Amino acid sequence: MAAHLMSAIPSNPLTKLNARQSEAVHYIDGPSLVLAGAGSGKTSVITRKIAYLIEECGIHARNIAALTFTNKAAREMKERVGLLVKKPLIKGLTVSTFHNLGLNIIRREHKTLGFKPGFSIFDAEDARSLLKELMMKDGDIDTDLLNLVQSSISNWKNDLHSPDYALSRAASSGEEKIALIYKRYNQALLAYNAVDFDDLILIPAQLFMDHPDILERWQRSIRYLLVDEYQDTNSSQYLLVKLLVGSRGALTVVGDDDQSIYSWRGARPENMSLLKIDFPNLHVIKLEQNYRSTSRILKCANDLITHNPHEIEKSLWSEMGQGEPLRVIRCANEDSEAERIATEIFTQRARRSARFGDFAILYRGNHQARLLELKLQQHQIPYNISGGTSFFAKTEIKDIMAYLRLVVNPDDDNAFLRIINTPRRQIGMSTLEALGRFATERHISLFAAAQDVSLQSHVPKRSLERIQRFTQWILNVGVRSENEDISPVLRELIEDIDYESWLHQNASSPKVAERRLENVWYLLDQIKFIIERDDAEEGNGNLESAINRLMLRDMLERQEDEDESLDQVQMMTLHASKGLEFSYVFMVGFEEDILPHRASIEEGNIEEERRLTYVGITRAKKVLHISMAGKRRQFGEVIETSPSRFLEELPEEDLDMEGFGQHNPERNTARGRETIDSLLGDLGL
């Protein structure tokens, strides 16, 4: 992929630092905030500072922690430290996401927290299923409000609000009901010996507040803390940082308030302001030299973002040359906009001797990609859409994989909880909670607890029979999978649970259900193929090794970048583009109600939409195209659109406007000639 994560100055870790970067690396007299503009080399600063702390300041790598938000960013950071510091010296260095650090803290302190070893982590879908079950049982809240309930609970956890606090602050009966669901949800998680994604930050923060002795031990362990993308921290992450640093102030945070675009998932850009309050001796260093974009692109970005309030002003500048004006193209409708983008990519690729992979199309919402895809296909332009759903992330695949995981490993509590009522077996929440408590008290898995003779005094007889029928069936499938041909065993598993009917009950249409069932059969075919191949090559093919291979393959595929050898136009949302760079960028749908988004206009959240636009502009290295449609089809009718208000905030002298009523026959003729020349060139004429 012709994009680079968090472009530093440039990627060679031995490149000389500029004056401000050098100051950021060498300042260790107290807490520091590195205000790093887009493309200003922040990753280089963090990695160099880690090297400086180890080699010059005598701090052992095991006493240094660097936190960021994605596994990809953490991997890149650690790899670059490895190029700067000899391998033996970086042993024990922590470079991880916030959530990985939280997970390690919970694992180390699980006894104090009341968890048994091997606790489960609920992903968003696991949590959603549990909440739906609770809502159906209580019957007070319509399950159509599931999204609202889940986001409310997530926001409460991110803001460090307990169920009791949420209940005390409920402003309506609806909020009160959601707060009660929150309380039941937390009780169920504890009974299942499980945590959710938000708990990975919340629980360690609460642990440190409640147990100063444990906090002191972790403070001794982490003598210096570095945080990347600080503007994306939420309240619980900020508290975790504050607690770990304590009064020593051995802290460097790197961030850019102008690139804070994740408030919808709990990020608090005001955390940068809180730093000054909690650390009065905070030293601020501004990185303003950009190593990515032309001066014109940066001027437009600077002019736009000045319309947002700032506590600390900064202005990006570059030595990359003046560059071309930003091209602003207004088309008749969305069809002609998509057509124009496809033809521009086709012709500019030839005229500029570029690769398709040098081009990116950025949009506000995923729904905008459909028409663009069709046009790129018509012009035979290869493309890649970022953020596509992994095969193993599909609900039906996760269901069947959970069955198979439990068959090969009955102690997999996550798998057990996912499938115990998928499809429904009339095993209620109270029964599962009792089972969870029983398992936790005895430090055994849920599956083992279900077979324990003592369980009969804890759950109703009918429920016990259903659970034991299920566990015995799983054991029988396991025995058969070891001794019989695997294909009929797996097909009978699908038939035994009547999964096809379950898919039809929960799908929006019969076609969707059929497509999901096809995915299941494809998975079983892959398992059979792997077992037969392993048997032929090594003589030991079995279901367990096949499941482990598939899970490992999925994890690796999710971690790998797109193959850079594939020459494809990159398509993604503006949110997904953060941290990436491309030579030629198309920002599409530059209209009111799209960018800024209608919901943000109604909520008065224009500042974040402006920051999102700023992020889009600063992805471009050489040329930026901004496009919009004069008319657009919405909800079955064609409506007139208005250009985005952000267009008026860009410097007119740096824009090349087209489609706004100007008459420029010379330019049209020149562009027509370019198109013909490009076509002839592609044909070898």
Side-chain angles (χ1 to χ4, degrees), residues 6 8 11-14 17 25 41-55 66 73-85 90 93 95 226 254:
M6 300 182 300
S11 58
N12 183 352
L14 302 179
L17 298 171
V25 166
K42 66 184 180 65
T43 307
S44 198
V45 165
I46 295 173
T47 53
R48 294 290 190 88
K49 188 150 195 170
I50 293 171
Y52 178 70
L53 291 168
I54 294 171
E55 295 182 329
R75 280 198 312 277
E76 180 181 288
M77 209 179 289
K78 196 156 191 177
E79 285 167 5
R80 289 171 64 167
V81 172
L83 295 175
L84 291 165
V85 182
I90 61 172
L93 174 68
V95 182
L226 304 99
V254 182

Side-chain angles (χ1 to χ4, degrees), residues 128-137 143 146 192 399 403 417-429 432 466-467 469-470 496-503 505-506:
R128 189 178 176 84
S129 298
L130 175 55
L131 284 169
K132 188 174 181 180
E133 200 75 40
L134 289 168
M135 291 165 70
M136 289 175 68
K137 181 183 179 183
T143 53
L146 183 56
Y192 292 164
D399 286 346
Y403 270 98
L417 288 171
R418 181 178 184 91
I419 62 173
I420 188 65
N421 271 322
T422 306
R424 297 200 187 286
R425 294 185 173 83
Q426 296 180 301
I427 299 170
M429 287 299 301
L432 291 175
R466 289 173 181 146
I467 291 174
R469 194 181 310 130
F470 168 74
D496 284 349
I497 63 176
D498 198 12
Y499 194 68
E500 183 174 0
S501 296
W502 173 256
L503 288 176
Q505 289 168 23
N506 291 277

Side-chain angles (χ1 to χ4, degrees), residues 25-41:
V25 166
H26 296 104
Y27 183 82
I28 58 167
D29 294 334
S32 63
L33 163 62
V34 181
L35 199 61
S40 62

Side-chain angles (χ1 to χ4, degrees), residues 261-275:
I261 57 174
Y262 297 121
S263 66
W264 49 276
R265 67 184 190 198
R268 296 284 181 266
E270 58 268 27
N271 285 349
M272 297 186 84
S273 302
L274 282 176
L275 277 171

Side-chain angles (χ1 to χ4, degrees), residues 29-30 52 133 172 179 188 200 213 243 247 257 290 301 318 351 379 395 406 428 449 569 581 624:
D29 294 334
Y52 178 70
E133 200 75 40
S172 66
L200 294 176
D213 55 325
L243 289 166
S247 58
D257 51 349
N290 175 284
S318 167
R351 181 164 64 86
H379 288 269
T395 301
L406 197 62
V569 174
E581 60 180 35
L624 176 64

